[in-house]
Amino acid sequence: MPDLKPATAKRLIHPVILSGGSGTRLWPMSRAAFPKQLQPLLSERSLLQDSVTRVLQAHRFAAPIILANEEHRFIIAEQLRQIDVKPQTIMLEPIARNTAPAAAAAALWLGQREPDALMLIMPSDHAIADHPAFLNAIEIGAQAAASGKLVTFGIQADRPETGYGYIRRAGPIGTAGAFEVAAFVEKPDRARAEEYLASGDYTWNSGIFLFPVRTYLAEFKARMPDSYAAVEAAVAGEKGDLDFHRLDAAAFARAENQSIDYAVMEHTANAAVVPVAMGWNDVGAWDALWDISPKTGDGMVQIGDVTAVDCRNSYLRTEERLLAAVGVEDLIVVATADAVLVAPKSRAQDVKKLIDRMKLDKRDELTHLPTVHRPWGTYRSIHNGDRVQVKHIMVKPGGKLSLQMHHHRAEHWIVVSGTAKIVRGEEELMLTENQSTYIPLGTLHRLENPGRIPLHLIEVQSGSYLGEDDIVRFEDTYGRT
């Protein structure tokens, strides 16, 4: 069903930012619990924060809608708070179902509030260097979408890239700068990619879309009626949870795991493409980061405490300790507190194979970074021994841990800085710097920061079992009981 709003109408565009990916090829920095879109890989801001900031022009964009998974919800909420952005909602996907059902969920939710809305669907982990070119392309796309087109944005190719899908464009449509889509093409081999580049008719598939809500839902329903019904039920059964909207898990699980391209764009007669050169990169692997990072004359990218002698065309990054290299060339070396990756730059895509191997080995390093983020702050294990574990805990101002107890461990708390308000059984304590307390095994307890500065403390756990699942929660500010 085409959208009948006139093409000249200047409606607000609703950014829908997809933040459910895991970014495995950027391990060891990107982990399942803290993936690449939440990492400051290109600047002091995370890729998610950059993506949100890109669409903050009040005269053209509405507040963003964020789609995320359960585990990342509090990190995302905190990162939005840091850049002073209040989203329309953070919609929680109970299970990964690719971009087509995710976009349908956002469209149904948005359509209940603004049936004629335009929605801009963007991944949260892309880099765009030319912001004015991006905004200009969005304006062209909005005109085409307002006349009922399902718009995708094609990146003007500057090399025969084999790692991206392509879009072959046909003739122009009524909107200047927009074209009919002739075909979506899978990732080509080198020879075919060179043909595409030479023809001038092909652009890279960016995975960025601009849709009228009505049109996308009609097309999705026509081609995937069972998945549409599943997503519709998931939105109807959503539950509010603090600042989040949690889709109904049983219903959403019935939707097919399909991309927007496969489910809708490859079949619709309404597809249009806007070609654009905007310094786009999908930041898919470490070699992509080397491509877009500032370099020395020897092609070196050095981030963190790095000392390099006689090195060329390499990406060297360390998050904590010194990284020293002599005579390396065309290498990627990335060091975190608990892991080091070394790979030829030409094999950056093969980090995925390494991840598959580590999954078989059940390596914990795939899931969490040493610093684990929680809604109240962070903790970091600094020593693991036999029946003892030592952690550095940081509680944000106003942060409060759940009221809880443990069956298998006791805890000692030593305040390093800040003020701790502590419930210990029937007691309530206020501790400041260099003061400490002891939580016996099986004792109901809670930790809170009532102050205006972060609370830092050292926790020493002792007992027969020290796993994070030995927590019985009785009351929780963040809805985790």
Side-chain angles (χ1 to χ4, degrees):
M1 178 191 299
D3 190 327
L4 301 180
K5 283 272 188 176
T8 54
K10 280 270 190 176
R11 283 176 274 171
L12 279 178
I13 298 169
H14 296 260
V16 176
I17 299 177
L18 308 178
S19 186
S22 57
T24 54
R25 285 173 295 175
L26 286 172
W27 185 90
M29 283 195 64
S30 183
R31 313 279 177 104
F34 204 76
K36 68 172 181 176
Q37 65 266 26
L38 306 179
Q39 300 272 359
L41 294 175
L42 294 170
S43 68
E44 293 182 353
R45 293 186 307 206
S46 71
L47 295 177
L48 171 68
Q49 289 173 321
D50 283 341
S51 297
V52 171
T53 303
R54 208 169 283 141
V55 288
L56 286 185
Q57 291 194 338
H59 69 282
R60 196 59 173 125
F61 296 105
I65 296 168
I66 313 292
L67 273 89
N69 67 38
E70 174 92 8
E71 189 168 14
H72 305 152
R73 66 194 191 280
F74 292 114
I75 305 171
I76 288 172
E78 173 62 16
Q79 290 198 356
L80 295 177
R81 186 199 63 78
Q82 289 171 357
I83 58 173
D84 198 25
V85 170
K86 183 174 178 56
Q88 292 189 55
T89 183
I90 299 175
M91 186 175 292
L92 302 180
E93 299 175 90
I95 185 172
R97 278 294 178 263
N98 216 316
T99 55
L108 285 162
W109 187 89
L110 181 57
Q112 294 170 357
R113 293 153 178 82
E114 189 177 332
D116 293 321
L118 299 178
M119 63 177 189
L120 173 65
I121 301 169
M122 300 168 49
S124 60
D125 54 1
H126 289 183
I128 295 175
D130 191 340
H131 190 229
F134 166 77
L135 293 177
N136 184 62
I138 297 303
E139 286 292 341
I140 295 170
Q143 293 178 46
S147 64
K149 290 293 185 181
L150 298 173
V151 178
T152 185
F153 296 88
I155 306 303
Q156 293 180 0
D158 57 10
R159 62 184 185 275
E161 176 61 57
T162 60
Y164 300 144
Y166 284 70
I167 301 168
R168 179 162 61 89
R169 67 174 178 263
I173 62 173
T175 303
F179 299 83
E180 298 284 352
V181 172
F184 288 85
V185 183
E186 294 298 319
K187 297 175 183 178
D189 58 23
R190 177 77 182 190
R192 198 171 295 275
E194 289 176 349
E195 292 176 12
Y196 294 166
L197 182 63
S199 77
D201 293 331
Y202 292 80
T203 54
W204 296 333
N205 189 347
S206 70
I208 302 172
F209 305 93
L210 183 50
F211 295 154
V213 164
R214 288 183 190 271
T215 308
Y216 177 73
L217 289 175
E219 298 266 7
F220 182 67
K221 184 177 183 179
R223 286 166 180 80
M224 303 187 74
D226 292 341
S227 289
Y228 178 91
V231 177
E232 187 176 43
V235 174
E238 69 171 10
K239 291 181 172 60
D241 179 1
L242 301 175
D243 295 329
F244 312 107
H245 285 90
R246 191 186 306 274
L247 297 173
D248 181 79
F252 198 68
R254 295 196 296 270
E256 290 187 50
N257 186 26
Q258 299 291 354
S259 69
I260 292 171
D261 286 342
Y262 185 85
V264 173
M265 296 299 286
E266 293 180 8
H267 310 286
T268 180
N270 286 320
V273 59
V274 176
V276 56
M278 56 184 180
W280 172 89
N281 194 294
D282 70 347
V283 197
W286 288 112
D287 59 336
L289 269 175
W290 178 84
D291 280 338
I292 61 179
S293 298
K295 303 173 187 66
T296 66
D298 292 327
M300 293 295 297
V301 176
Q302 298 175 201
I303 300 173
D305 189 5
V306 175
T307 299
V309 176
D310 295 332
C311 297
R312 295 175 183 82
N313 299 322
S314 295
Y315 186 97
L316 306 181
R317 180 173 193 142
T318 177
E319 294 302 297
E320 294 195 7
R321 55 185 62 92
L322 170 67
L323 170 59
V326 178
V328 304
E329 188 167 350
D330 296 319
L331 277 187
I332 292 164
V333 183
V334 180
T336 61
D338 62 341
V340 179
L341 169 71
V342 181
K345 189 147 53 68
S346 61
R347 297 194 61 183
Q349 297 291 333
D350 288 342
V351 172
K352 180 67 166 60
K353 297 179 181 178
L354 191 65
I355 298 302
D356 292 339
R357 173 59 184 270
M358 288 193 289
K359 284 179 180 177
L360 292 176
D361 295 340
K362 298 182 179 179
R363 299 291 313 205
D364 292 339
E365 291 87 350
L366 288 176
T367 306
H368 289 92
L369 287 160
T371 297
V372 178
H373 292 256
R374 290 290 184 257
W376 43 261
T378 63
Y379 71 83
R380 176 172 181 156
S381 181
I382 55 181
H383 173 72
N384 281 288
D386 183 25
R387 296 178 59 90
V388 64
Q389 181 170 216
V390 182
K391 291 182 177 180
H392 174 195
I393 294 177
M394 185 280 291
V395 185
K396 297 181 293 189
K400 181 189 295 187
L401 281 67
S402 60
L403 183 65
Q404 59 185 253
M405 58 88 70
H406 310 294
H407 290 296
H408 304 287
R409 71 175 187 250
E411 295 173 339
H412 299 256
W413 290 342
I414 305 161
V415 177
V416 177
S417 63
T419 301
K421 181 179 178 182
I422 296 166
V423 171
R424 186 182 63 182
E426 299 297 321
E427 301 176 88
E428 185 173 293
L429 312 172
M430 294 289 286
L431 302 183
T432 57
E433 186 173 328
N434 292 325
Q435 294 182 321
S436 63
T437 190
Y438 169 63
I439 311 295
L441 184 150
T443 300
L444 202 65
H445 62 280
R446 175 173 237 161
L447 175 64
E448 179 181 350
N449 179 2
R452 296 183 179 180
I453 63 172
L455 164 65
H456 291 266
L457 58 83
I458 299 298
E459 177 183 80
V460 181
Q461 301 176 355
S462 59
S464 60
Y465 178 72
L466 305 176
E468 281 301 306
D469 54 350
D470 181 26
I471 297 178
V472 180
R473 291 190 174 97
F474 296 89
E475 179 186 317
D476 185 53
T477 303
Y478 310 104
R480 296 172 298 165
T481 51

